[in-house]
């Protein structure tokens, strides 16, 4: 399905690079969903926790301030008593002084006349100008800071009129002339006044002139040990800078803030301290025209005063935002009863969810970057793999192309292409390749550690080319050699085949001639016998009858004639046997030559070693055949020469006989004239005729022998011819095979 | 081993085929006056004058018959052994393949067969001595005994001096 290493490598690299990225992405996504699920709904809790913590901190701050103020009030009171003791006890003296006493709670004025109040010799006077030093109170303020006030008892009820104070009114004058009513506007007893009148010290919060203060009220007794007034040392709550600064600086969550709200009296719903002091002094109750953002105040106040000191309560509410979406807010609040302060921490719930959202966004960003980085990594890896694979592919294709060229026959082309490529390599191996010429065989530089596998394959291929080239070169040389040898080898064999093909026809003719010779010899024998019979009779009656002589003469003539025929036939046979001998000589020569060639081929094959084995087998076979042919030819030669000599002997004998017969005939012709001489010569002829008869008998025997021999010769010739023909075709086959091999090698460019 | 067989009379002799360069048909060598009787003469082989020794003359004081199967066997002789026998010479101790080789023709009868023979061992009383010093081990071919001929020993100093005064054959 996937073809080629390029695709495979690229896919592999892609997978290898993509897998970790995908895995990381998967893990992150899972983690993200886990975290997101865990964080969902945590916003509210976080907001509550933080707001509660702020409210609680605020509570602790206020409480510590309260405690500090109480301690300080005690110490301040001691200082004030010291000052008073130095100046002397208080006493009252006339003339009475008219006051327009103003109820500090209701603002109601009332005219009263009271005796002047003295401490020691000093009249406390009615000093309103802060630049004029007032006795006692200014001294005390100088010593301890804060505020100090001396009250004069106005009546039996115990209304306490400020006669000397360091508290300034809103108009910048000393707030003398106001009084603390013994009865609250609702008619109840003022616990503070009651405590003082009863001669006890009150430490705590109190409304001083126009604001709340924290300090100690101590009754002042006159000469009659009656409570004639009181002294107050303490500080205005407004001046508790640490609380204010703390509240102002507090930030709850992202946009939340802290606020102190008064819970009773005139301060109910009034912001006493706020973030950056923006809303300080404002009344935050709805019906007082407070903004929607403070809609919670009323509800908070309703709950807060019922809280156990230090407990934190929560209120969720919404405020409209400029974009029309309501903001979900949370208020955590606590109540500090001694001061009747409600301490509120407000925050926007969404702020915490925003943090969670940021966490999510962070994770998303991580996922994004991971995806981006992973993607780039994948691209990089893929690109690198592609490059690498392309290199690999090129090298492999180059080797394959070279091998294909080689296998299609262009060995040299393939080898040269490989060599050129290797020589181009910018490595030590390339140097090794360049160091060699293009044509010299190259050994694989095995010791090179810098060779990669592809190069190794190419080098090995180059080596293969070299060795194949060398082998083919050797083979071509061998084939050339073999062809040359076959060239030497084949023609004689073919000649032998051709010659031996003549052999049967020649031997056939010899056979025919021998038979004719046999017949002629038979006739000669008959003639001779007759002649002899007649001659013997003639010898006795030669002198008596001439016709007999004439008949002898006739017999003589026929005899001569018969001898002529035999002689002629013998001549033919002689000639044919000579021809036969000649053919046989050729055959024998060829056989010898073949044998020689076979021997030399075997010698060469022996030297060629392994590669010559096939040739050796052929050479051995040829030699074996040539041996057989040689044996056959030798036998033929032997018999032929025997026959030849026999025929020669026959011819010679016949010639002699013919000469004698002719001589007799001649003599017999003349004998008619001179019979005695004839008789003489006839006796001699008769003698000779006996010899001829013997010769003729022998001749006939030889002719029979010759006929037999020729038959044998014919058979032998046929066999030899066939064998030599076999050899010839075998040689031709070998030649064809070798030539084919040579042609194949020729196709390969070495 | 493989040996080229040849006959002297009824006896069979063998030459290690590795020593044989070629077998040539019988050509009449040109007689060399004053040469030992066993030297049949010289003939030209590829432009080189090659002395021909008559094996039969070496063994029987009788010249080889000119049969059809009488041939000239060209052998490669390596000088060295002979020189060693003379107790001098620069080639002494050199490996056989590095010693110079000479082509020598051997006239022999019935050179018709190459056969695998089994070397049996030496039969001469003192190999390397006397006129028959070229006779080596005896081998067996079938039922036949084959007397091996050490061609190197044929190159006697005399032959070498007479015919190979110049550089050896390549």
């Amino acid at each position: 399905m996937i073809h080629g290493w390029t695709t495979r490598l690229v896919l592999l690299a892609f997978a290898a690079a993509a897998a970790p990225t995908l895995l990381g992405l998967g893990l992150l996504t899972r983690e993200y969903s886990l975290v997101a699920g865990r964080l969902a709904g945590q916003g509210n809790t976080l907001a509550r926790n933080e707001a509660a913590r702020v409210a609680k901190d605020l509570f602790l701050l206020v409480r510590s301030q309260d405690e500090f103020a109480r301690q300080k009030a005690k110490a301040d009171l001691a200082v004030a008593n010291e000052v008073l003791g130095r100046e002397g006890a208080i006493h009252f003296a006339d003339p009475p002084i008219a006051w327009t006493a103003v109820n500090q709670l209701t603002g109601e004025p009332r005219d009263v006349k009271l005796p002047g109040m003295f401490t020691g010799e000093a009249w406390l006077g009615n000093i309103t100008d802060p630049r004029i030093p007032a006795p006692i109170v200014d001294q005390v303020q100088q010593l301890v800071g804060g505020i100090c006030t001396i009250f004069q008892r106005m009546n039996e009820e115990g209304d306490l009129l400020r006669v000397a104070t360091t508290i300034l009114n809103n108009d910048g004058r000393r707030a003398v002339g106001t009084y603390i009513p013994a009865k609250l506007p609702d008619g109840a007893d003022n616990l503070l006044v009651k405590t003082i009148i009863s001669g006890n010290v009150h430490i705590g919060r109190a409304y001083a002139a126009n604001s709340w203060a924290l300090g100690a009220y101590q009754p002042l007794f006159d000469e009659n040990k009656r409570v004639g007034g009181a002294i107050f040392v303490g500080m205005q709550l407004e001046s508790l800078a640490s609380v204010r600064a703390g509240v102002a600086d507090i930030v709850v969550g992202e946009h939340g803030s802290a606020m102190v709200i008064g819970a009773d009296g005139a301060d109910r719903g009034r912001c006493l301290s706020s973030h950056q002091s923006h809303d300080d002094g404002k009344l935050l109750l709805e019906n007082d025209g407070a903004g929607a953002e403070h809609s919670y105040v009323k509800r908070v106040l309703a709950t807060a005063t019922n809280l156990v000191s230090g407990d934190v309560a929560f209120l969720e509410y919404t405020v409209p935002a400029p974009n029309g979406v309501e903001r979900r807010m949370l208020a955590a609040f606590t109540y500090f009863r001694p001061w009747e302060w409600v301490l509120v921490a407000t925050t926007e719930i969404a702020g915490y969810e925003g943090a969670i959202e940021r966490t999510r966004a962070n994770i998303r960003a991580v996922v994004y970057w991971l995806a981006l980085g992973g993607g780039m990594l994948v691209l990089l890896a893929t690109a690198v793999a592609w490059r690498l694979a392309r290199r690999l592919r090129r090298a492999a294709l180059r080797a394959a192309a070279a091998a294909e060229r080689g296998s299609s026959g262009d060995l040299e082309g393939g080898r040269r292409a490989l060599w050129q490529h290797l020589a181009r390599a910018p490595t030590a191996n390339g140097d090794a390749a360049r160091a060699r010429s293009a044509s010299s065989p190259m050994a694989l530089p095995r010791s090179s550690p810098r060779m990669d596998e592809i190069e190794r394959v190419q080098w090995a291929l180059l080596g293969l080319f070299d060795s194949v080239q060398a082998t083919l070169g050797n083979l071509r040389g061998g084939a050339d050699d073999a062809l040359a040898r076959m060239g030497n080898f084949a023609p004689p064999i073919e000649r032998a085949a051709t010659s031996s093909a003549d052999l049967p026809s020649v031997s056939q003719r010899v056979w025919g001639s021998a038979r004719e010779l046999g017949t002629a010899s038979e006739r000669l024998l008959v003639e001779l016998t007759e002649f002899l019979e007649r001659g013997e009779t003639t010898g006795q009656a030669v002198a008596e009858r001439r016709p007999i002589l004439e008949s002898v003469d006739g017999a003589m003539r026929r005899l001569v004639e018969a001898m002529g025929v035999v002689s002629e036939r013998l001549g033919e046979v002689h000639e044919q046997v000579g021809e036969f001998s000649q053919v046989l000589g050729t055959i024998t020569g060829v056989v010898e030559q073949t044998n020689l060639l076979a021997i030399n081929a075997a010698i060469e094959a022996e030297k060629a070693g392994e590669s010559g084995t096939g040739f050796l087998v052929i050479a051995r076979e040829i030699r074996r055949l040539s041996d057989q042919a040689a044996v056959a030819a030798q036998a033929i030669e032997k018999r032929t020469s025997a026959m030849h000599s026999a025929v020669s002997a026959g011819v010679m004998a016949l010639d002699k006989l013919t000469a004698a017969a002719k001589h007799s005939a001649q003599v017999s012709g003349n004998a008619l004239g001179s019979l005695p001489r004839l008789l003489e010569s006839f006796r001699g002829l008769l003698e000779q005729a006996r010899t001829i008869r013997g010769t003729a008998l022998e001749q006939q025997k030889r002719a029979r022998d010759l006929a037999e021999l020729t038959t044998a010769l014919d058979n032998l010739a046929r066999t030899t011819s066939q064998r030599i023909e076999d050899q010839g075709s075998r040689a031709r086959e070998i030649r064809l095979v070798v030539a084919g091999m040579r042609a194949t090698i020729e196709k390969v460019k070495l | 081993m493989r040996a080229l067989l040849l006959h002297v009379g009824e006896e069979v002799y063998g030459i290690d085929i590795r020593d044989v360069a070629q077998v040539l048909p019988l050509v009449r060598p040109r007689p060399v006056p004053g040469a030992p009787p066993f030297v049949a003469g010289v003939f030209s082989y590829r432009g080189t004058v090659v002395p021909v020794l008559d094996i039969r003359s070496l063994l029987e004081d009788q010249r080889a018959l000119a049969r059809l199967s009488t041939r000239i066997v060209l052998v490669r002789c390596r000088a060295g052994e002979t020189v060693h026998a003379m107790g001098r010479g620069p080639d002494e101790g050199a490996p056989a393949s590095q010693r110079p080789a000479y082509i020598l023709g051997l006239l022999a009868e019935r050179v018709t067969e190459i056969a695998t023979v089994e070397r049996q061992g030496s039969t001469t009383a003192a190999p390397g001595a006397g006129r028959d010093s070229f006779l080596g081990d005896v081998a067996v071919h079938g039922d036949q005994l084959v007397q091996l001929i050490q061609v190197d020993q044929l190159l006697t100093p005399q032959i070498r001096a007479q015919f190979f005064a110049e550089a050896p054959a390549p």
Side-chain angles (χ1 to χ4, degrees), chain A residues 3 168 254 437 457 471 554 584 604 667:
Chain A
H3 296 294
L168 298 181
E254 275 185 85
S437 76
V457 167
T471 307
L584 211 61
E604 292 298 326
V667 171

Side-chain angles (χ1 to χ4, degrees), chain A residues 231-255:
Chain A
I231 186 165
F232 169 78
V233 275
M235 60 186 82
Q236 285 174 304
L237 277 181
E238 291 173 359
S239 71
L240 285 171
S242 58
V243 174
R244 301 180 75 92
V247 171
D249 289 346
I250 284 173
V251 176
V252 186
E254 275 185 85
H255 304 294

Side-chain angles (χ1 to χ4, degrees), chain A residues 588 592 595-596 600 606-607, chain B residues 2 20 23 25 68 71 112:
Chain A
T588 312
E592 285 297 322
N595 176 261
L596 195 63
N600 281 319
E606 200 74 37
K607 283 176 187 165
Chain B
R2 305 271 298 161
V20 178
V23 180
L68 260 177
R71 287 162 175 170
T112 54

Side-chain angles (χ1 to χ4, degrees), chain B residues 16-143:
Chain B
D16 189 334
I17 200 166
R18 287 169 296 186
D19 295 330
V20 178
Q22 202 173 354
V23 180
L24 300 175
L26 179 60
V27 291
R28 206 181 79 82
R30 182 190 179 89
V32 179
F38 59 87
V39 176
V42 292
F43 81 109
S44 170
Y45 172 66
R46 294 180 185 171
T48 313
V49 174
V50 175
V52 180
L53 309 186
D54 190 326
I55 288 281
R56 188 159 191 170
S57 297
L58 278 168
L59 291 165
E60 292 186 353
D61 290 336
Q62 188 183 348
R63 285 198 171 263
L65 300 176
R67 297 168 183 257
L68 260 177
S69 59
T70 302
R71 287 162 175 170
I72 293 176
V73 181
L74 291 183
V75 294
R76 277 179 213 279
C77 304
R78 293 193 181 273
E81 293 293 323
T82 319
V83 174
H84 178 65
M86 298 291 289
R88 61 180 172 84
D91 303 328
E92 185 176 357
S97 60
Q98 288 176 16
R99 296 197 300 264
Y102 302 92
I103 297 287
L104 208 60
L106 300 180
L107 189 66
E109 290 174 35
R110 291 163 66 191
V111 183
T112 54
E113 200 175 353
I114 287 170
T116 302
V117 299
E118 280 179 53
R119 198 191 283 267
Q120 295 293 310
S122 177
T123 53
T124 49
R131 209 175 75 162
D132 299 344
S133 63
F134 59 88
L135 296 181
D137 293 346
V138 167
V140 172
H141 172 229
D143 299 333

